[in-house]
């Protein structure tokens, strides 16, 4: 992978982690959702820089190299 591809995949992984943290079921109000603004912007910018915005299949191939998906379709980790 190129550096920009790695950066885009890692930005998505950070967005995924932030989303899980915000939506972890702790009973926090939806007011916590603005915490996702910065990670979403970072991921969007990285995708735009690669010219991959709207090309989810190719992008998730890159993400799979950074964060392997289980073959059985179950949760990661």
């Amino acid at each position: 992978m190129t550096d920009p591809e790695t950066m885009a995949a890692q930005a998505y992984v950070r967005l995924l982690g932030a989303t899980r943290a915000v939506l972890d079921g702790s009973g926090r109000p939806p007011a916590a959702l603005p915490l996702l603004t910065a990670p979403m912007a970072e991921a969007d910018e990285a995708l735009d820089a690669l010219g991959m915005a709207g090309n989810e299949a190719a992008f998730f191939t890159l993400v799979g190299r950074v964060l392997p998906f289980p073959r059985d379709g179950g949760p990661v980790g």
Side-chain angles (χ1 to χ4, degrees):
M1 279 196 311
T2 66
D3 285 343
E5 289 172 338
T6 300
M7 289 172 40
Q10 289 173 338
Y12 174 77
V13 170
R14 285 190 291 277
L15 172 60
L16 183 60
T19 302
R20 286 180 175 157
V22 167
L23 302 176
D24 70 356
S26 66
R28 285 184 279 185
L33 293 177
L35 297 173
L36 298 176
T37 302
M40 285 191 303
E42 178 190 16
D44 285 343
E45 287 174 22
L47 284 173
D48 286 342
L50 284 176
M52 296 186 87
N55 191 346
E56 290 83 6
F59 178 66
F60 283 114
T61 296
L62 296 176
V63 171
R65 293 179 188 167
V66 174
L67 180 69
F69 297 101
R71 294 194 181 273
D72 66 1
V76 175

